[in-house]
Amino acid sequence: MAITNIGSINIDNVYRVDDFAAPGETLLVSDYARGLGGKGANQSIALAKAGSQVFHIGAIGPDGEWTREALQEVGIHTQGIRLVQESTGHAVIQVNSAGENSILVCSGANITLTQDQCREAIMVMGDDDWLLFQNETNLTREIAEAGRAQPIKICYSAAPFIAELVLPVLPYIDLLVVNELEAASLAAHFGGQEGGIPVPALLVTRGGKGATYSVCESPGHENAGNVLSVPSFDVSVIDTTGAGDTFLGYFLSSLDTGLDAMTSLQRASAAAAIQVSRPGAADAIPTSAEVSEFLARNPTI
Ligand code: RIB
């Protein structure tokens, strides 16, 4: 099956610091790098490297042609990326000595998507293909509605978490992906427990604590039933930027290619472990062969 990802494309400006800048403080950084990022682009790269056929739908400005080329280099179909007058989205990312990040995103072209562009991309999807989107573009609710009208599956990466955007989208989706903090914010709207979040399936990434995947067992859409967990691998962390995107891409691609949920979680965890041990976001995402080699060397999970 193919995966259509309507998602952001950012130019990541990454600054290495010992500690994040405090209010009023000026810091000299120890390193600077520019690379491809954006939750959408990172997830597309992870999906493609995991082996999926990926159609990326988005928008870039005249400064971002190289981002399209980077997506094409891993086999992603980019005809659905419009060139617009606005600048390509960009992010200012501090990465501290523990590899943690602090991110500012300037949306730019990412919020110029048109309804026609999204509808056309969704209309040509095949039965049972996955539609994926995040909160770094405009039109999230419209994308979800248009997707639900087709015989496809819908995965929503509800990041960055904005409750007013997320709540209206939940009734339309098949799989919700959030990190632990986002899950807690969302659960607060449904009685405080993750199991109360009303979606058919829920993937929660938990950083160094691994991830859980729960599937609804009742038609009431409460996902407290079948919960699978995977720990994270113990690796030396350089940069956690894009780790959740890598996990999502590998998990969804593995599920889509017919692997069972536990195997999909293990491949995703291995991919994220490799990714955090390298600098950058999209550039740090491993190939499927690298993930298989890592799992062969680290079979204990
Ligand atoms: O999830 C990581 C991504 O968030 C970065 O690549 C940055 O561009 C922001 O979108």
Side-chain angles (χ1 to χ4, degrees):
M1 308 294 166
I3 299 176
T4 294
N5 181 11
I6 303 181
S8 58
I9 299 167
N10 286 341
I11 297 171
D12 281 0
N13 295 293
V14 184
Y15 304 88
R16 291 228 65 121
V17 293
D18 288 336
D19 296 303
F20 300 140
E25 187 179 20
T26 300
L27 286 181
L28 297 179
V29 305
S30 58
D31 190 29
Y32 163 76
R34 188 185 79 151
L36 174 63
K39 296 182 194 307
N42 295 341
Q43 291 172 15
S44 278
I45 296 263
L47 287 163
K49 287 195 166 178
S52 288
Q53 187 184 19
V54 183
F55 293 83
H56 193 101
I57 314 303
I60 55 174
D63 56 336
E65 270 303 336
W66 66 270
T67 63
R68 183 200 299 274
E69 287 160 17
L71 293 167
Q72 286 170 343
E73 268 167 30
V74 294
I76 295 167
H77 300 274
T78 62
Q79 297 90 333
I81 299 174
R82 288 172 58 238
L83 181 63
V84 298
Q85 284 312 304
E86 283 79 357
S87 299
T88 304
H90 74 267
V92 174
I93 304 178
Q94 298 177 62
V95 178
N96 71 12
S97 54
E100 297 162 331
N101 59 58
S102 168
I103 304 179
L104 300 174
V105 172
C106 177
S107 300
N110 290 317
I111 53 170
T112 67
L113 302 193
T114 68
Q115 294 216 26
D116 283 350
Q117 175 189 18
C118 297
R119 271 203 219 102
E120 280 162 22
I122 292 168
M123 290 295 291
V124 298
M125 290 176 65
D127 290 3
D128 282 335
D129 282 358
W130 277 99
L131 171 66
L132 169 64
F133 61 104
Q134 312 78 28
N135 283 336
E136 285 187 335
T137 68
N138 57 325
L139 299 177
T140 48
R141 183 172 184 158
E142 290 83 353
I143 293 166
E145 283 175 352
R148 197 67 293 161
Q150 300 298 319
I152 60 173
K153 294 172 285 192
I154 304 178
C155 175
Y156 176 40
S157 165
F161 185 82
I162 303 162
E164 305 82 81
L165 288 182
V166 177
L167 293 171
V169 167
L170 295 185
Y172 299 98
I173 63 173
D174 298 295
L175 169 61
L176 175 69
V177 183
V178 285
N179 67 26
E180 201 170 26
L181 288 176
E182 292 157 354
S185 304
L186 187 53
H189 293 266
F190 300 102
Q193 300 299 313
E194 282 180 12
I197 299 172
V199 289
L202 175 68
L203 173 65
V204 182
T205 57
R206 301 177 191 278
K209 289 183 281 176
T212 55
Y213 176 60
S214 47
V215 179
C216 165
E217 282 187 335
S218 70
H221 275 2
E222 296 228 335
N223 53 59
N226 184 15
V227 181
L228 295 175
S229 299
V230 68
S232 67
F233 289 92
D234 189 14
V235 292
S236 172
V237 176
I238 300 293
D239 182 353
T240 55
T241 310
D245 302 327
T246 303
F247 197 111
L248 185 158
Y250 263 84
F251 179 74
L252 189 61
S253 175
S254 302
L255 270 191
D256 188 47
T257 51
L259 296 179
D260 62 72
M262 194 61 212
T263 307
S264 300
L265 283 173
Q266 287 169 341
R267 287 193 73 74
S269 187
I274 299 169
Q275 199 266 353
V276 301
S277 68
R278 300 168 173 173
D283 293 336
I285 297 172
T287 62
S288 187
E290 288 175 312
V291 171
S292 297
E293 280 161 27
F294 181 93
L295 282 168
R297 278 186 281 112
N298 300 273
T300 51
I301 194 166

